[in-house]
Amino acid sequence: MSDRSPAPSDSPAERPPWPLTALAAWLLPGLGHYLIGYRRRGLILGITILSLFAAGMLIGGIGVVNSERERLWFIGQTLIGPTAPVVDLYRQSLEGRLGHQLDRHAEELRQVEGFGADDARVLVNFLESDEKVPAVRRSLGRVNELGTLYCTLAGVLNLLVILDVVGRSSSAPIHPAPPPDDKPDTDEGRLVTREREQA
């Protein structure tokens, strides 16, 4: 089974311009290859890169994509496309929404009669702490590091895919070199180079 589709992408003039294929490869890993005719390659690359990103989130939780705490790692993660910023925005909204609900419950607990002041203070301090939202709690130790690493590696691999698709879409198709002649061309016992033939 051939990796390439027939004729549409054999000529550089018929291919989409390289900025378009680079943008497509950033938006959805593998889409740039798909646009220039490498359909199976694009599908394999897309599934692989998105699976690596998803594996990182499954290992370390949604908190591994964090533009506030892990800025340098987040830059690498954004190379996968809009997926990483969307996940980060969702994480931030989840933190804000759940944090607001917990603040409201803490205020209600302060107003309950018969609830001891010390008990209320301990419970309110717990609810207002940084560790209040289990859905976005930072995973511990190596688990967080591995999740962050997997998500960032997915972004770096997508950068390589983008560079590959730019190279493939902006250059002429590579054809195998013709087989060499059995006998070299000679001029009185010396080899004749192509440059001398043209002169």
Side-chain angles (χ1 to χ4, degrees):
M1 185 168 169
S2 175
D3 181 34
R4 293 174 45 102
S5 66
S9 63
D10 285 345
S11 157
E14 295 174 0
R15 295 180 185 155
W18 70 264
L20 178 66
T21 57
L23 179 65
W26 178 76
L27 287 173
L28 183 65
L31 184 59
H33 281 86
Y34 193 84
L35 289 177
I36 62 170
Y38 292 90
R39 309 241 191 273
R40 190 173 61 173
R41 180 180 301 228
L43 188 63
I44 290 170
L45 289 170
I47 289 171
T48 303
I49 291 172
L50 290 174
S51 296
L52 184 61
F53 188 80
M57 287 186 38
L58 287 173
I59 290 171
I62 196 171
V64 298
V65 181
N66 192 328
S67 63
E68 297 162 349
R69 262 186 289 170
E70 307 285 347
R71 290 178 198 250
L72 186 60
W73 290 99
F74 183 71
I75 291 170
Q77 292 165 352
T78 57
L79 294 173
I80 199 172
T83 306
V86 166
V87 168
D88 185 51
L89 287 174
Y90 177 72
R91 180 197 55 77
Q92 289 176 12
S93 72
L94 189 62
E95 278 181 348
R97 186 172 54 235
L98 292 177
H100 177 70
Q101 290 174 357
L102 290 175
D103 289 341
R104 188 182 64 215
H105 291 303
E107 188 60 39
E108 290 171 3
L109 282 175
R110 287 188 185 109
Q111 298 171 359
V112 172
E113 288 185 33
F115 199 73
D118 291 336
D119 297 330
R121 185 175 38 81
V122 169
L123 192 54
V124 167
N125 287 341
F126 170 74
L127 290 174
E128 291 176 347
S129 71
D130 287 338
E131 300 296 322
K132 61 187 171 188
V133 185
V136 291
R137 181 179 295 164
R138 187 174 182 183
S139 51
L140 301 174
R142 296 276 182 207
V143 174
N144 184 277
E145 292 173 9
L146 286 174
T148 303
L149 181 64
Y150 274 42
C151 289
T152 306
L153 281 177
V156 172
L157 284 175
N158 197 42
L159 176 63
L160 293 176
V161 168
I162 292 169
L163 293 175
D164 181 54
V165 80
V166 166
R168 289 177 188 271
S169 65
S170 62
S171 65
I174 300 173
H175 297 289
D181 294 337
D182 290 341
K183 289 183 174 180
D185 294 331
T186 60
D187 182 21
E188 299 174 8
R190 295 184 308 246
L191 289 174
V192 177
T193 62
R194 301 267 180 212
E195 295 159 359
R196 287 184 64 196
E197 286 180 349
Q198 292 173 353

